[in-house]
Amino acid sequence: MTTLEQVALERGSIATTFGVATAYDSMVQDLVLTFNADSTELLSAIELHATFIQHCVHCGSSDAALAVFDAFGQTYGTATSDIHVIVQAQGLDNPAAQRVLKGYFSAWPVVNSHRKSAAPLPTLFSSDSVALMAMFGGQRGFGDTMDEAVWMFDVYRPLLSDFVSHMSAFLHRESQDKRVSFVYSKGLNVFAWLTTPDMMPDARYLLSIPVSLPLVGLIQLMHVVVLYKTLGVSPGKLVKRFKVAVGHSQGIAIAAAFSTLTDEQTFFDVGKRIL
């Protein structure tokens, strides 16, 4: 049996304790000393723990991050329950939920590289008695759309960064085509907008049809990326779990594309065709 050393975290009135293997205790304790979470923001122990995971990742200590991540799983049961279900059960408000999810998924590259086997699929995606329908909507307005994009990229950035960067580069190149460039006076570099908020164009530009149309599609594809990556399946295997895909307005094209996916390469290729 592995000997566990206790690690104590405390910020303001919030505190938590968890165990890590002796081999990682020293490096984790060193990171505790450099941990400067804002105690005025944290409302719960789960936020404190998740924020510390992110701190370990940002400090470049993969072993420590993995040890703290595993301890988080032991404490909150992420080995048997989806993190989103756990966050909901905690009754957290939106900012707190965002902090927990962001901290948890900050360790995604480290955890994924050490994962020896795929986690079992939730019953919703593994039971033959469940018939799933994928529904894709249309445009809802600038505020909802861009707020959603910013939130998703902030929380799931390790999962989304490559995809959004690739699609953004494609959209930006297309926007420079002399046949359409006159309607893209501020380009279409979504990745830059999400990583550098000061570069975000004004609402009027973002609401224009040539800009909002691909943005809505991109955000819906971002949801698909998060889903197949967190489930640990290929896009094709994800599609096979759905009996039907339907769309409204702009979502019709996304639904049609979704039904044709086989692997990640086709996902990228089809994504560029419909955007």
Side-chain angles (χ1 to χ4, degrees):
M1 180 179 294
T2 303
T3 301
L4 297 180
E5 305 294 341
Q6 294 302 301
V7 177
L9 287 176
E10 183 176 346
R11 287 296 178 275
S13 61
I14 308 300
T16 187
T17 303
F18 55 88
V20 298
T22 302
Y24 306 116
D25 179 55
S26 178
M27 66 178 72
V28 172
Q29 296 290 0
D30 286 344
L31 288 167
V32 170
L33 297 176
T34 62
F35 182 46
N36 294 311
D38 187 348
S39 60
T40 62
E41 291 186 350
L42 302 179
L43 302 174
S44 62
I46 191 173
E47 291 174 74
L48 182 61
H49 197 150
T51 305
F52 185 59
I53 294 174
Q54 187 177 356
H55 174 67
C56 294
V57 172
H58 285 175
C59 288
S61 181
S62 297
D63 288 339
L66 190 61
V68 176
F69 182 90
D70 287 343
F72 184 94
Q74 291 294 322
T75 302
Y76 297 102
T78 54
T80 55
S81 295
D82 182 79
I83 181 61
H84 301 89
V85 175
I86 292 168
V87 166
Q88 186 176 34
Q90 291 280 325
L92 304 176
D93 61 19
N94 285 337
Q98 184 172 355
R99 281 190 289 273
V100 173
L101 292 173
K102 182 177 181 178
Y104 181 87
F105 284 107
S106 69
W108 182 262
V110 176
V111 174
N112 220 31
S113 65
H114 285 78
R115 182 176 289 163
K116 296 180 181 179
S117 60
L121 290 174
T123 302
L124 183 65
F125 289 93
S126 59
S127 174
D128 292 333
S129 64
V130 178
L132 297 177
M133 173 188 290
M135 301 180 67
F136 299 93
Q139 188 175 7
R140 292 165 295 167
F142 161 72
D144 288 344
T145 298
M146 290 312 298
D147 287 348
E148 182 179 354
V150 170
W151 190 94
M152 286 189 68
F153 196 74
D154 180 61
V155 170
Y156 302 110
R157 184 166 179 169
L159 288 73
L160 288 170
S161 187
D162 287 348
F163 175 74
V164 174
S165 176
H166 186 87
M167 291 299 167
S168 177
F170 165 74
L171 290 173
H172 192 62
R173 285 195 305 272
E174 292 295 300
S175 72
Q176 303 305 302
D177 188 308
K178 62 182 180 180
R179 294 170 296 180
V180 297
S181 60
F182 66 94
V183 298
Y184 293 109
S185 59
K186 299 177 183 178
L188 200 52
N189 193 341
V190 184
F191 188 80
W193 300 346
L194 293 176
T195 54
T196 312
D198 289 344
M199 295 182 65
M200 184 84 71
D202 57 88
R204 183 175 181 178
Y205 181 77
L206 291 167
L207 275 171
S208 64
I209 295 299
V211 176
S212 65
L213 185 66
L215 278 182
V216 170
L218 177 61
I219 292 167
Q220 294 191 356
L221 292 177
M222 287 165 65
H223 280 284
V224 176
V225 173
V226 170
L227 185 56
Y228 77 71
K229 286 192 174 182
T230 54
L231 289 175
V233 299
S234 69
K237 288 185 177 180
L238 174 65
V239 169
K240 288 180 179 178
R241 300 312 307 170
F242 288 85
K243 298 298 183 183
V244 63
V246 298
H248 165 70
S249 185
Q250 292 154 283
I252 295 174
I254 304 297
F258 178 77
S259 65
T260 68
L261 302 180
T262 56
D263 55 25
E264 198 160 57
Q265 185 59 54
T266 64
F267 180 70
F268 276 65
D269 292 342
V270 170
K272 286 187 285 189
R273 285 202 295 272
I274 62 172
L275 294 182

